[in-house]
Amino acid sequence: MFDPSGGTAPDIAGQDIANPTASLLAFSNLLRHLGEEAPGKALRAAIFGAIADGQKTQDIGGDLGTRAFTAIVRERLSSALDPK
């Protein structure tokens, strides 16, 4: 139920060129399904916020690899969920 619609791209695994957006959005949907609305919503906001700010993977016109994009999303998510 919570698989990325395009699959997980095993043919390019480990090459730092896959766009992790679909996998991250699937996880966001899982969180929301489990009743974790705030973290799920925060994850979606982190993903779309990064893209809106031009922080994109190469396949959608950016220059980031999988690891760099994921690190940016993780940093945004961490800031959004920080209880300060």
Side-chain angles (χ1 to χ4, degrees):
M1 287 178 56
F2 301 101
D3 285 342
S5 60
T8 57
D11 56 322
I12 57 173
Q15 296 180 40
D16 198 35
I17 59 173
N19 183 335
T21 300
S23 294
L24 293 169
L25 288 173
F27 184 66
S28 170
N29 289 337
L30 172 65
L31 288 170
R32 295 172 78 183
H33 176 76
L34 294 173
E36 296 296 332
E37 186 70 29
K41 189 174 181 179
L43 178 54
R44 290 181 76 82
I47 295 164
F48 291 123
I51 293 170
D53 287 345
Q55 299 167 312
K56 303 181 279 189
T57 53
Q58 297 171 11
D59 63 312
I60 58 172
D63 59 358
L64 299 174
T66 309
R67 290 179 196 90
F69 181 77
T70 303
I72 288 167
V73 170
R74 187 177 58 222
E75 182 177 316
R76 286 172 170 264
L77 181 60
S78 184
S79 295
L81 296 176
D82 189 3
K84 288 183 184 179

